[in-house]
Amino acid sequence: MKPFVLISSRPEPALAHSEYESFLRHCGLNSDQLIQIRVDQEPLPNLQLDDYSGILVGGSPFNASIPPSDKSPVQQRVEAEMGFLLDKIVPRDFPFFGACYGVATLGLHEGGTVDTTFGETVTAGRIALTQEGRKDPITLGIPDNFDAYLGHTEAIRTLPASAILLATSGPCPIQMFRVGTNMYATQFHPELDHDALAERLLAYDGHGYYPAGEAAATIAGLVGADVAPAHTLLRNFALRYARD
């Protein structure tokens, strides 16, 4: 099959590798079927879309809503490259799944508003599918209400006119949306299980995702959360769009 591409922007090598392994595992792919591009380390190449099954975007330490003058040169480059990529793939309705940072990239590209209004500390949040969400192909086998790991300092506040809301929650109204037929974004992290989340929390202590110095307590409080339905989204996406 033609491989999927995972676009990563985490500068920590261990976290970038763990993110790749998480997507690999929960998409049900092998290493030949998922290519990772670390845009924190190198420019995003001009992808020839016909060579790939789809594009995945992981989370990021970048905050899209901060003033341009506060963004690092790397973030400014990555945002410009993601904008160019979306200029190519949105008109084609090319398969795309963005987790967390994907909400900001796709949402802003389509005219949405991203700010800190609906930021959430790290938790296993209850996500509710909308009526449209319950009908979507990649939610097949997922209950109407399910838990997923999340933690973000910013979120999309205004849904783009081109987007369809697929999932919501009380603390953060826009948890998942679709643009066109084949392009998805989630505010929550469908790639994370407890071990991967714990590794990430220990690395990001003091970054505002949870009270500083409370990594161990936060990790312990999330033991036992059943986030398997969220993983199913990635598996359904990979199965739907894998092509020879």
Side-chain angles (χ1 to χ4, degrees):
M1 59 166 276
K2 294 181 178 180
F4 289 85
V5 173
L6 171 63
I7 299 174
S8 299
S9 57
R10 298 190 184 280
E12 305 86 0
L15 292 186
H17 177 71
S18 177
E19 182 172 69
Y20 174 76
E21 291 293 326
S22 293
F23 274 97
L24 199 68
R25 179 166 58 256
H26 296 303
C27 285
L29 302 172
N30 62 48
S31 58
D32 293 329
Q33 297 169 334
L34 183 62
I35 297 170
Q36 185 179 34
I37 299 175
R38 291 187 57 194
V39 291
D40 60 293
Q41 299 290 312
E42 59 181 338
L44 180 64
N46 185 11
L47 298 174
Q48 301 304 307
L49 299 181
D50 290 340
D51 294 337
Y52 302 101
S53 288
I55 294 171
L56 300 156
V57 176
S60 177
F62 297 151
N63 287 322
S65 63
I66 62 175
S69 59
D70 293 339
K71 295 177 180 179
S72 69
V74 172
Q75 180 174 351
Q76 293 179 34
R77 172 181 59 78
V78 170
E79 289 182 353
E81 291 169 351
M82 289 299 299
F84 175 76
L85 175 64
L86 289 165
D87 286 344
K88 289 175 56 178
I89 68 176
V90 170
R92 285 187 53 167
D93 198 15
F94 190 78
F96 174 94
F97 193 114
C100 198
Y101 188 52
V103 163
T105 55
L106 183 58
L108 286 173
H109 184 271
E110 293 301 287
T113 302
V114 173
D115 60 24
T116 59
T117 303
F118 297 113
E120 298 178 274
T121 57
V122 174
T123 187
R126 176 52 57 101
I127 311 298
L129 295 176
T130 64
Q131 183 176 357
E132 287 294 329
R134 291 191 292 271
K135 297 186 297 185
D136 195 274
I138 71 164
T139 66
L140 181 67
I142 296 174
D144 292 352
N145 297 277
F146 62 95
D147 291 341
Y149 288 134
L150 47 82
H152 48 100
T153 57
E154 61 181 15
I156 188 163
R157 176 169 57 86
T158 304
L159 192 69
S162 62
I164 301 296
L165 183 65
L166 300 179
T168 185
S169 71
C172 184
I174 302 172
Q175 286 285 356
M176 180 179 178
F177 64 86
R178 186 187 72 239
V179 171
T181 303
N182 304 314
M183 305 189 69
Y184 297 87
T186 63
Q187 186 62 70
F188 57 90
H189 285 274
E191 83 281 10
L192 287 180
D193 54 30
H194 187 265
D195 289 345
L197 177 66
E199 180 183 16
R200 192 171 296 178
L201 291 188
L202 290 171
Y204 286 152
D205 190 23
H207 286 231
Y209 297 109
Y210 58 91
E214 295 187 12
T218 303
I219 292 167
L222 295 172
V223 172
D226 180 11
V227 297
H231 302 328
T232 303
L233 288 171
L234 291 177
R235 181 59 174 159
N236 286 349
F237 180 82
L239 286 170
R240 180 171 177 80
Y241 294 110
R243 60 196 181 104
D244 296 326

